[in-house]
């Protein structure tokens, strides 16, 4: 469905590819079956105490009382009234969540959520500076407004977690302020000594070359210059839940939390620290007291690693999305309860778009008219709804085999 007009500006220019870039933002709301949707870009997934409370208040006052983390570590509000865009924008500006009206949809920056907290990564102490520098540079560059709302920058501290997301432009820290720059899904990278300007220049060169033909470098990868440094395989592991290094890590079922849970997270965050939302739909709270873990668990947040909910995600599904064939979140929850299983990540999709699916190897559960289609490593199994839970449990424990 086409987005609603922006509340305070003309729509940002974006690559055409024969149709408009309909990616929602904080100013341009998207109509859905459960009301309008706003997507708040959070570079590095960062939210201060004040911003967490502002999000909770906006969810209560303007939306359905919940906020959800996206697969890029951004935040979405749902159930919004069509006429609330100006009110929402003012709330966001007041707490610093809307630094640029013209560039708000292109501030897509994911970063290693444990950078500087656990002693891992070659550039742990540099990543925060890169986030701030890249966000400011993006907002200051007039040409950057032409990037798609889907264009993603990944700032990896060297551990390979967000590098595995196959972002459009990736910086992989190697120490001493240097990085490897990867464009799209190239197999080789380029060593750069001034990482943020290099990343910005790579995005601009892509725009010039794409000339409106593509939203992502991977779509014209053969036309892009390759680097000269072979890249290692990336594990792409999310932060473990519980106490991690110098902070706490919690998970949200389906990435959603109600306003009370968001306020509890704000209360748990020490003064002067910034929460980090992760692309695995969790929250890292730097400096938080481990004694708070039982309170977070009692509030319904996941605080211990493992278990059948580990790696379970789903798209919006019914009733929020008209394209969906089923309430896949409810189906996923019933499947977890009926046949608890651990293993591969599993994503439930209400339609073939598979919105929000994870990167890497995962079990694909697609709603069909008769039930579900469960796919892993290219092997497909069609099931009726009553048989899906068992099929998913079996698929999550499938040993690696080459796809057919």
């Amino acid at each position: 469905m086409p987005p609603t007009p922006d509340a305070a500006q003309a729509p940002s220019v974006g690559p055409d590819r024969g149709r408009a870039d309909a990616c929602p933002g904080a100013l341009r709301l998207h109509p859905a079956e459960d009301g309008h949707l706003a997507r708040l870009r959070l570079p590095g997934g960062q939210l201060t105490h004040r911003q967490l409370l502002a999000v909770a208040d906006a969810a209560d006052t303007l939306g359905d009382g919940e906020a959800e983390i996206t697969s890029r570590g951004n935040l979405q509000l749902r159930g919004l009234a069509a006429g609330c865009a100006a009110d929402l924008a003012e709330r966001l500006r007041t707490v610093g969540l809307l630094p640029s009206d013209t560039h708000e949809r292109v501030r897509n920056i994911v970063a290693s959520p444990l950078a500087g907290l656990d002693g891992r990564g070659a550039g742990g102490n540099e990543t925060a500076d890169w986030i701030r520098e890249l966000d400011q540079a993006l907002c200051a560059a007039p040409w950057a407004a032409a990037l798609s709302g889907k264009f993603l920058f990944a700032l990896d501290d060297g551990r390979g977690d967000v590098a595995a997301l196959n972002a459009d432009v990736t910086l992989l820290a190697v120490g001493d302020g240097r990085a490897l720059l990867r464009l799209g899904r190239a197999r080789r990278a380029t060593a750069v000594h001034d990482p943020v300007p290099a990343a910005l220049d790579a995005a601009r060169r892509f725009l010039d070359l794409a000339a409106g033909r593509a939203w992502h470098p991977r779509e014209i990868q053969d036309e892009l210059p390759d680097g000269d440094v072979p890249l290692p395989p990336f594990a792409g592991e999310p932060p473990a839940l519980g106490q991690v290094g110098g902070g706490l890590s919690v998970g949200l079922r389906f990435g959603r939390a109600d306003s009370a849970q968001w306020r509890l997270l704000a209360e748990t965050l020490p003064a002067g620290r910034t929460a980090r939302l992760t692309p695995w739909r969790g929250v890292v709270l730097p400096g938080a007291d481990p004694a708070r873990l039982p309170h977070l668990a009692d509030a319904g947040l996941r605080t211990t690693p493992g278990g059948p909910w580990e790696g379970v995600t789903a798209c919006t599904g019914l009733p929020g999305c008209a394209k969906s064939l089923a309430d896949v979140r409810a189906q996923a929850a019933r499947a977890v309860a009926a046949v608890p299983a651990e293993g591969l990540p599993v994503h439930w999709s209400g339609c073939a778009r598979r919105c929000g699916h994870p990167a890497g190897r995962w079990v694909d559960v697609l709603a069909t008219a008769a039930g579900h289609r469960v796919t892993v490593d290219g092997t497909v199994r069609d099931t009726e709804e009553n048989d899906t839970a068992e099929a998913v449990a079996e698929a999550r424990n499938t040993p690696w085999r080459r796809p057919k």
Side-chain angles (χ1 to χ4, degrees), residues 322-340:
K323 295 182 181 295
S324 180
L325 296 178
D327 185 349
V328 286
R329 287 180 174 170
Q331 290 177 337
R334 288 196 296 268
V336 170
V339 188

Side-chain angles (χ1 to χ4, degrees), residues 12-62:
S12 299
V13 177
D16 185 4
R17 291 210 329 176
R19 61 185 178 90
D21 177 5
C23 204
L27 295 176
R28 191 165 75 173
L29 307 186
H30 183 84
E33 290 298 292
D34 57 350
H36 284 67
L37 176 152
R39 184 172 298 159
L40 285 56
R41 267 60 176 196
L42 308 174
Q46 297 184 343
L47 281 171
T48 65
H49 177 274
R50 186 182 181 207
Q51 290 167 343
L52 283 165
L53 294 180
V55 166
D57 290 343
D60 273 342
T61 306
L62 306 176

Side-chain angles (χ1 to χ4, degrees), residues 29 34-38 58-59 62-64 77-84 88:
L29 307 186
D34 57 350
H36 284 67
L37 176 152
L62 306 176
D64 62 5
L77 297 172
R78 302 189 67 94
L80 301 168
C84 80
L88 175 62

